[in-house]
Amino acid sequence: MKAIDLHTHSTCSDGTFSVEELMDYAHEKGLAAIALTDHDTVKGLERADTYVKEKYPDMEFVPGIEFSTVNEGKDVHVVGLYVNYKDQEFLDTIDSYMNSRIQRNIKMCEKLRDEAGIDISYEILTEMFPKTVITRAHFAKYMLEKGYVSSKQEVFDRFIGDDCPYYVPRENITPEMAIEAIVKNGGVPILAHPVLYHMSDAKLEALVVRLMEVGLAGLEAIYSTYEAYEERQMKELAERHGLLISGGSDFHGDNKPKIDLGVGMGKLFVPENILEQIKKYS
């Protein structure tokens, strides 16, 4: 059975591979299917879809997106698979969410500049990283290149990680809002990497149950950084609630150098048969 990867990023958000380079690499790796799930944008989907159909008819392309939302002051991500990237209402919703991301990035720049003495602004970031969705990874790359830190990880550990003094949460965009937008669009909403939210078992299950009420369809139960017992727990949680299982590497290219496409940190394997159930749902 061949592998698939349902969570990847390109230069349209915070990956370092162009859309075409990512599709080439997926085919080189022998993947049966690949989803492009850039942060809060569908900008690369039509290019990827056309490119794969023309060049790699033996590989399936799954159009997707990863919405960044806030739950109780913490980031929670929702992946949408098989989204209709030409739906104008969906595009309008994404635009409104992007405005929230931009305001958050402006505020984070202001805090870093005024409180930490770092020469940074949203204008500087957009000039340095044009035509892309600015994420915290771009903050980290800028601060490393300018010598404010010795590693990208230090940026998240000291400055803009969820519990750090210069972090600013996004306003108003909840997981429910993202799920409702995906459902209305005809896509399949998946709770991304739930283990990474470091919730208690009871709290995570309560979140899952709550999100199911607005249409949550599945969990990312197979993921690059999971230990074997964590993958087992996520699969059991999905089974308890009749949810789909999804999985992916969360590949970002050089921005996450330890994570490779399709295999994550070396042990990841997302079997192609899980896509059958997801396709049936969509």
Side-chain angles (χ1 to χ4, degrees):
M1 183 175 293
K2 295 175 75 174
I4 61 175
D5 197 328
L6 301 180
H7 190 160
T8 72
H9 297 273
S10 75
T11 51
C12 292
S13 64
D14 55 349
T16 60
F17 281 43
S18 71
V19 168
E20 292 78 11
E21 288 170 340
L22 181 58
M23 298 303 115
D24 287 342
Y25 192 39
H27 194 263
E28 178 186 324
K29 300 281 281 187
L31 297 183
I34 179 173
L36 177 59
T37 55
D38 277 315
H39 292 285
D40 299 320
T41 183
V42 294
K43 189 164 53 176
L45 297 186
E46 186 167 13
R47 280 168 53 200
D49 204 356
T50 300
Y51 189 76
V52 169
K53 284 174 180 172
E54 292 178 351
K55 195 169 182 181
Y56 303 121
D58 57 333
M59 182 176 74
E60 179 177 356
F61 174 68
V62 180
I65 189 170
E66 183 176 14
F67 281 118
S68 303
T69 74
V70 176
N71 179 71
E72 297 180 355
K74 304 288 186 180
D75 278 2
V76 167
H77 292 181
V78 177
V79 164
L81 299 175
Y82 289 106
V83 297
N84 176 3
Y85 55 81
K86 295 182 179 180
D87 174 25
Q88 190 57 52
E89 185 174 359
F90 192 57
L91 296 175
D92 290 343
T93 298
I94 292 170
D95 284 345
S96 70
Y97 291 177
M98 274 300 301
N99 289 334
S100 173
R101 178 186 281 277
I102 290 169
Q103 291 306 312
R104 175 265 199 110
N105 286 338
I106 290 172
K107 290 176 182 177
M108 209 141 53
C109 285
E110 290 173 349
K111 285 176 70 73
L112 286 166
R113 185 177 63 248
D114 297 343
E115 299 175 24
I118 293 172
D119 182 19
I120 190 171
S121 69
Y122 185 68
E123 290 73 23
I124 288 173
L125 291 176
T126 54
E127 287 176 9
M128 188 171 182
F129 307 105
K131 298 180 181 180
T132 190
V133 176
I134 301 297
T135 72
R136 285 185 283 176
H138 296 105
F139 280 75
K141 187 172 183 179
Y142 171 82
M143 290 169 66
L144 178 62
E145 289 189 7
K146 295 300 181 181
Y148 291 108
V149 292
S150 58
S151 70
K152 292 178 183 177
Q153 189 57 45
E154 184 182 350
V155 176
F156 290 92
D157 291 342
R158 290 182 52 206
F159 294 93
I160 56 173
D162 284 3
D163 297 311
C164 292
Y166 312 104
Y167 171 72
V168 176
R170 294 179 65 185
E171 297 176 359
N172 301 326
I173 302 172
T174 66
E176 284 91 343
M177 292 166 66
I179 290 168
E180 288 170 349
I182 294 166
V183 170
K184 193 170 186 180
N185 172 263
V188 183
I190 306 290
L191 182 62
H193 41 61
V195 172
L196 271 57
Y197 307 135
H198 304 295
M199 297 179 177
S200 67
D201 293 347
K203 194 166 185 178
L204 177 58
E205 188 148 15
L207 174 64
V208 167
V209 170
R210 193 185 95 207
L211 298 183
M212 286 176 64
E213 294 178 1
V214 293
L216 181 70
L219 302 180
E220 197 166 58
I222 309 171
Y223 186 75
S224 288
T225 62
Y226 288 177
E227 299 291 345
Y229 77 92
E230 292 171 325
E231 180 176 319
R232 186 171 60 251
Q233 286 178 337
M234 292 304 100
K235 288 180 176 178
E236 290 172 352
L237 177 58
E239 185 176 4
R240 269 200 307 278
H241 295 285
L243 293 168
L244 298 167
I245 287 173
S246 185
S249 62
D250 204 357
F251 178 74
H252 284 69
D254 292 342
N255 281 337
K256 288 188 177 182
K258 294 181 180 179
I259 294 176
D260 196 8
L261 187 68
V263 296
M265 299 178 76
K267 297 180 180 178
L268 181 77
F269 180 73
V270 185
E272 60 182 315
N273 63 356
I274 73 168
L275 195 57
E276 296 171 10
Q277 297 302 315
I278 295 173
K279 288 165 79 171
K280 287 178 183 177
Y281 186 92
S282 65

